[in-house]
Amino acid sequence: MKLYGGLLSPFVRKVAVVLGEKGVDYTPARGGPGSTDAEFLSVSPFAKIPAINDDGFTLADSSAIVHYIEAKYPEPALIPAEAQARGQAIWFDEFGDTIFAASGLKILFNRVVGPRLLGKPGDEALALEGEAELPGIMAYLESVTPADGWLVGDAFSVADITVASMLCTLRYVGYGPNAAAYPKMAAWHARVTARPSWQAVAERETALMRKILPDLAAA
Ligand SMILES: N[C@@H](CCC(=O)N[C@@H](CS)C(=O)NCC(=O)O)C(=O)O
């Protein structure tokens, strides 16, 4: 399987960790906003990352890809089977990809990705808007994070991966897990990122960051 997109993206990191949890090998491939690469555009019609090519089967959108991977490689399950747990896991995945990402990416795109990687000026008003939205989101997360274990039921799931991935990306703009303000959330994030699947992705991510944004590699 080819996985298109850089690990700075919360959505790409999410798919990379899911593949790691399932023990599925993949080849990282280039692609991202502004790319004119024909191969990438053939797998991602709207030039969004992530996208995959699995033996000729192509798909874009992290959640669509996670559902595909879950159906093809059911073990270990990352989407719970029980009705309420499944509903909650999909809620956290959706929350991470929409509400949380909408605010967080206003900061990331306008302070880092646009000005430093795409040569486009950032809109500081939008970054400030994102900053103003984050405390409410972080307070919500702290209120739903268990003192031990995972976000949904007893099992590690896509809920943990999606939400923790957005927090990882926010580290690069100074909004990673803050143990003083959000102790349960920070402890849960440390549990998630200690997993071998996460560590393997983090190693590749650090190598990538050293090349593209070296001052942020240690964030
Ligand atoms: N809902 C999509 C969001 C994907 C997305 O917006 N990715 C960003 C990178 S973090 C992107 O490709 N943006 C480029 C653009 O919107 O043109 C998913 O979960 O994959």
Side-chain angles (χ1 to χ4, degrees), residues 80-132:
E82 191 276 323
Q84 292 187 359
R86 181 176 298 188
Q88 283 180 323
I90 300 304
W91 151 249
F92 278 117
D93 181 49
E94 182 69 10
F95 159 81
D97 283 357
T98 57
I99 295 171
F100 197 9
S103 297
L105 296 183
K106 280 181 197 164
I107 309 172
L108 187 83
F109 268 80
N110 289 296
R111 293 202 180 138
V112 177
V113 177
R116 298 194 54 192
L117 296 177
L118 301 179
K120 287 186 184 163
D123 181 338
E124 184 54 20
L126 270 181
L128 290 170
E129 202 176 278
E131 274 186 333

Side-chain angles (χ1 to χ4, degrees), residues 9-11 14 32-34 46-50 60-63 97 105 109:
S9 159
F11 311 109
K14 161 176 143 185
F46 295 96
K48 297 216 181 240
I49 52 172
D61 186 277
S62 64
S63 297
D97 283 357
L105 296 183
F109 268 80

Side-chain angles (χ1 to χ4, degrees), residues 2-211:
K2 270 189 175 181
L3 171 60
Y4 294 81
L7 290 169
L8 176 62
S9 159
F11 311 109
V12 175
R13 190 187 300 104
K14 161 176 143 185
V15 171
V17 171
V18 165
L19 288 168
E21 287 284 330
K22 305 270 187 189
V24 178
D25 281 338
Y26 63 93
T27 308
R30 290 171 76 95
S35 172
T36 53
D37 182 85
E39 180 186 321
F40 169 61
L41 293 177
S42 75
V43 296
S44 186
F46 295 96
K48 297 216 181 240
I49 52 172
I52 57 164
N53 185 335
D54 187 24
D55 275 335
F57 173 72
T58 64
L59 198 58
D61 186 277
S62 64
S63 297
I65 295 168
V66 168
H67 278 265
Y68 168 72
I69 295 167
E70 181 81 3
K72 186 166 176 182
Y73 305 99
E75 296 298 330
L78 293 174
I79 299 176
E82 191 276 323
Q84 292 187 359
R86 181 176 298 188
Q88 283 180 323
I90 300 304
W91 151 249
F92 278 117
D93 181 49
E94 182 69 10
F95 159 81
D97 283 357
T98 57
I99 295 171
F100 197 9
S103 297
L105 296 183
K106 280 181 197 164
I107 309 172
L108 187 83
F109 268 80
N110 289 296
R111 293 202 180 138
V112 177
V113 177
R116 298 194 54 192
L117 296 177
L118 301 179
K120 287 186 184 163
D123 181 338
E124 184 54 20
L126 270 181
L128 290 170
E129 202 176 278
E131 274 186 333
E133 290 161 357
L134 277 185
I137 292 173
M138 299 292 190
Y140 163 72
L141 275 177
E142 179 71 4
S143 77
V144 293
T145 303
D148 204 359
W150 312 112
L151 286 180
V152 178
D154 295 335
F156 180 73
S157 74
V158 65
D160 301 291
I161 298 173
T162 301
V163 177
S165 186
M166 192 60 224
L167 268 170
C168 271
T169 289
L170 282 175
R171 287 185 340 244
Y172 297 124
V173 285
Y175 286 98
N178 174 342
Y182 310 107
K184 281 190 297 168
M185 189 176 80
W188 157 82
H189 191 261
R191 290 194 292 281
V192 174
T193 55
R195 293 176 75 86
S197 62
W198 208 289
Q199 290 295 307
V201 171
E203 217 169 279
R204 284 207 298 110
E205 181 176 345
T206 304
L208 168 80
M209 291 299 285
R210 283 200 185 112
K211 278 192 208 153

